[in-house]
Structure formats: C-alpha cells, structure tokens
Amino acid sequence: GAVVSQHPSWVICKSGTSVKIECRSLDFQATTMFWYRQFPKQSLMLMATSNEGSKATYEQGVEKDKFLINHASLTLSTLTVTSAHPEDSSFYICSARGLDGGSYNEQFFGPGTRLTVL
Amino acid sequence: AQTVTQSQPEMSVQEAETVTLSCTYDTSESDYYLFWYKQPPSRQMILVIRQEAYKQQNATENRFSVNFQKAAKSFSLKISDSQLGDAAMYFCAYRNTGTASKLTFGTGTRLQVTL
C-alpha cells in the first residue's frame, strides 16, 4: 500500500507555545487528508477533513482557530496546534486518500504524532 | 448519521484458536464500505479487511474473514489460527461511497492472544 509519513513522531512543548505537525503522502497524490485525535484506550476522533487548495472542514466541537490545518499541496498537510495547553496532549493521526480511478479510493494512515504539553 | 458499535471492549484467544469480533452499524444508505482496522502497540493503523455492501460474498484475507449480514447490519471479523502478532486493538469502521466520505469508527476491541 501507499505510504503516509508524519513528522515529528513525538513532541514535547511548553504550555502556550504552538506546535506544527506535518503529514506527507510519499508515493501518491492525496486529494483529501484527514486529521484524527486519539486519547489513550479510545477510538479515533475525526477533527477535520481537508482538500488540496481548499479550507479544511472541521468537525463539530473542534476549534478551528486552535487547530489550524493547511493542505497546500497534493502531498503535504500540516496541523498546527496554537497556544497549546496540557489538555491538548494526545496522539494525532493523519490519513490521506488519493484518487485511484474507482469509487473506493483507499485511505492510508500515518504513524501518528504524540504531543505532550507541559 | 451513521454509527458503529463494538460491544466487546476486550477479547482473549489462545494461540492457534479462532476468535470472532462483533460489530454492528446503523445507516440508511444501501451502498457503503465496511472495514476492520488493526492498531498494534505501535499505534499504526493497518487495514485488515474491507467489504463492499453491494457484494453478497463475504470478504476474506488469509486468516481473516468477515460475516457480513446486511439486513441485520452486522459485520463480524473472524480470525483463524490466531497468532501472537494478532494482539492489538481492532476497530470496525463504516464509510459511505463517494470521494468526500469519512470513516466512522467503532470504539474498538482489544484482543489478547495467550499461549
């Protein structure tokens, strides 16, 4: 399957600072990217969906000014957690979907980024 | 809105034995996709198996197979000849057709494999 990378894999930051997480599709063009948040022993919660060149669509309850998503190219999306606080500590997973010419369009997941806010 | 329910928070199976993980879902759509994903301790999401709703035949991938009951909105995963490497969280997921569709995940089932 196709590969999605995330950087960094682990980040620790001080409260009040901003953190940027990168998500790249390495061998395909990702027309749509998804950002998830996962708390320990819980399921994945979709935060937002982004299409290349368009503004992200945020899920209900997700603060768009706090979680800035940019999908500037077909291979890169970024999630910036602004003014991070300890409650933002979580595991963030990106996922990318390209166009395979059919109706299915498989979705591939990155390895995740662990964010710890002190 | 679609919902996915996994009623088994934890399951245990002995090595080489067979285990079935349950999943039910709710939708008003007639065509959609269903998935089982595996999340090992590394937390990398791995697609185990996929089922298209319009296909009556149950999907199989080596030791993994599903029992898809469309009328009952049930989608269980059977793991045969369980191996230690099968130990992980398993998430059932639903997705509508269409390029803009989103995955809806269940709450997950933690599978333990014992010797």
Side-chain angles (χ1 to χ4, degrees):
Chain A
V3 179
V4 175
S5 70
Q6 274 184 250
H7 178 79
S9 56
W10 187 28
V11 57
I12 302 174
C13 70
K14 292 183 179 180
S15 185
T17 61
S18 295
V19 174
K20 180 184 285 188
I21 302 170
E22 290 188 349
C23 175
R24 294 181 185 272
S25 56
L26 298 185
D27 47 7
F28 69 103
Q29 293 186 324
T31 51
T32 306
M33 284 188 168
F34 306 85
W35 286 95
Y36 297 87
R37 184 174 181 176
Q38 186 180 32
F39 290 107
K41 298 186 179 182
Q42 292 190 24
S43 187
L44 281 70
M45 182 192 78
L46 180 65
M47 300 174 66
T49 303
S50 71
N51 293 295
E52 184 263 339
S54 303
K55 287 185 178 180
T57 302
Y58 291 81
E59 295 298 301
Q60 194 171 12
V62 177
E63 298 176 62
K64 60 180 66 177
D65 293 331
K66 180 165 193 60
F67 299 100
L68 301 179
I69 292 171
N70 183 283
H71 190 169
S73 78
L74 286 172
T75 59
L76 173 64
S77 177
T78 59
L79 167 67
T80 301
V81 183
T82 63
S83 186
H85 290 284
E87 58 265 30
D88 299 323
S89 298
S90 190
F91 193 68
Y92 293 88
I93 303 173
C94 78
S95 182
R97 188 188 300 166
L99 290 175
D100 61 9
S103 64
Y104 170 51
N105 301 319
E106 187 167 346
Q107 187 168 331
F108 301 95
F109 287 83
T113 296
R114 183 182 302 280
L115 170 64
T116 301
V117 184
L118 301 176
Chain B
Q2 292 80 19
T3 58
V4 178
T5 302
Q6 293 179 250
S7 59
Q8 306 156 316
E10 289 191 12
M11 292 284 285
S12 183
V13 63
Q14 281 193 319
E15 201 177 14
E17 296 298 307
T18 296
V19 65
T20 298
L21 308 185
S22 301
C23 173
T24 58
Y25 60 94
D26 188 28
T27 183
S28 58
E29 302 292 330
S30 60
D31 198 15
Y32 46 86
Y33 302 109
L34 295 166
F35 308 87
W36 279 97
Y37 284 92
K38 172 185 177 180
Q39 189 179 41
S42 68
R43 303 189 80 169
Q44 171 73 58
M45 294 290 284
I46 301 167
L47 177 63
V48 174
I49 200 164
R50 174 184 100 230
Q51 175 81 43
E52 289 95 340
Y54 68 87
K55 290 186 178 178
Q56 290 187 327
Q57 188 173 10
N58 289 323
T60 63
E61 286 288 342
N62 301 313
R63 298 183 294 108
F64 299 88
S65 61
V66 298
N67 183 1
F68 173 48
Q69 300 290 327
K70 191 172 184 179
K73 296 181 181 175
S74 170
F75 183 62
S76 61
L77 174 70
K78 185 172 82 171
I79 306 174
S80 304
D81 187 25
S82 296
Q83 301 174 359
L84 293 176
D86 294 334
M89 279 291 287
Y90 285 83
F91 293 100
C92 179
Y94 168 100
R95 198 185 106 193
N96 284 331
T97 59
T99 56
S101 58
K102 302 176 289 189
L103 281 168
T104 300
F105 288 95
T107 51
T109 297
R110 180 170 299 280
L111 179 65
Q112 290 184 320
V113 181
T114 59
L115 293 171

